[in-house]
């Protein structure tokens, strides 16, 4: 069953996510985006542990990412990470992700993910995985 597109999770900003001023350190947005993608995949029934248990052990890896930082997040903020699969083709998935605090967008990312074997070689997404994750009618790079 395909996940809702976009799929959203909530993330609370903790002290460990911030710099000395109480503002989220820029690299931690990558963690928030990762959690969003992981949960979006999990919603489709594609868990990382299950990929490692298959006949051919597979994993997803970030291949390319472009991030725009719009406004800062602060300690104790409740954020929403929205993840949309824009396209899926071959061994790759393209996500559009956004981080929001209420009605205010804080960051956005365009992310290309590759499916790989454990020796690092690209592996096509199976028809079953493609059906679960591919947005209807979208199979080209955005």
């Amino acid at each position: 069953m395909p996940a809702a597109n976009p799929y959203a999770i909530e993330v609370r900003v903790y002290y460990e996510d911030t710099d000395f001023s109480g503002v989220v350190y820029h690299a931690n947005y990558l963690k928030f985006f990762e959690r969003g993608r992981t949960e979006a995949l999990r919603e489709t029934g594609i868990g990382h542990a299950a990929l490692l248990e298959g006949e051919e052990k597979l994993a997803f890896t970030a291949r390319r990412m472009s991030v725009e930082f719009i406004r800062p997040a602060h300690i104790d903020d409740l954020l929403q990470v929205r993840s949309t699969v824009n396209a899926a083709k071959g061994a790759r998935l393209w996500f559009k992700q956004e981080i929001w605090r209420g009605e205010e967008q804080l960051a956005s990312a365009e992310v290309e993910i590759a499916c790989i074997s454990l020796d690092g070689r690209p592996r096509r997404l199976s028809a079953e995985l493609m059906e679960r994750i591919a947005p209807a009618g979208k199979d080209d790079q955005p």
Side-chain angles (χ1 to χ4, degrees):
M1 147 179 56
N5 217 1
Y7 181 77
I9 64 164
E10 289 187 337
V11 174
R12 176 74 63 188
V13 175
Y14 297 114
Y15 177 77
E16 68 184 20
D17 299 318
T18 64
D19 62 16
F20 66 93
S21 68
V23 172
V24 171
Y25 182 67
H26 72 279
N28 288 326
Y29 287 90
L30 302 182
K31 292 184 198 179
F32 300 156
F33 286 132
E34 174 68 29
R35 291 175 196 168
R37 289 191 308 276
T38 297
E39 293 302 325
L41 289 170
R42 186 185 318 279
E43 181 68 13
T44 67
I46 303 170
H48 291 295
L51 289 173
L52 291 172
E53 294 169 356
E55 187 175 317
E56 180 178 26
K57 297 175 183 350
L58 300 173
F60 288 113
T61 187
R63 185 171 184 274
R64 181 175 296 129
M65 182 179 292
S66 174
V67 179
E68 180 181 4
F69 301 100
I70 301 166
R71 299 205 181 304
H74 302 92
I75 194 165
D76 290 331
D77 282 351
L78 183 61
L79 309 177
Q80 185 180 70
V81 181
R82 301 175 186 172
S83 303
T84 302
V85 177
N86 282 343
K89 185 176 183 179
R92 296 180 291 172
L93 301 171
W94 288 269
F95 282 86
K96 167 71 174 168
Q97 294 187 275
E98 299 172 336
I99 296 178
W100 291 77
R101 178 180 52 222
E103 299 295 316
E104 184 177 35
Q105 186 176 2
L106 305 182
S108 66
E110 300 282 339
V111 185
E112 181 181 343
I113 300 298
C115 181
I116 60 170
S117 61
L118 294 187
D119 64 1
R121 295 190 176 147
R123 290 294 180 250
R124 288 184 158 279
L125 295 165
S126 70
E128 177 189 358
L129 291 179
M130 191 66 79
E131 183 177 314
R132 286 182 182 187
I133 199 158
K138 294 185 178 182
D139 62 0
D140 292 324
Q141 178 181 355

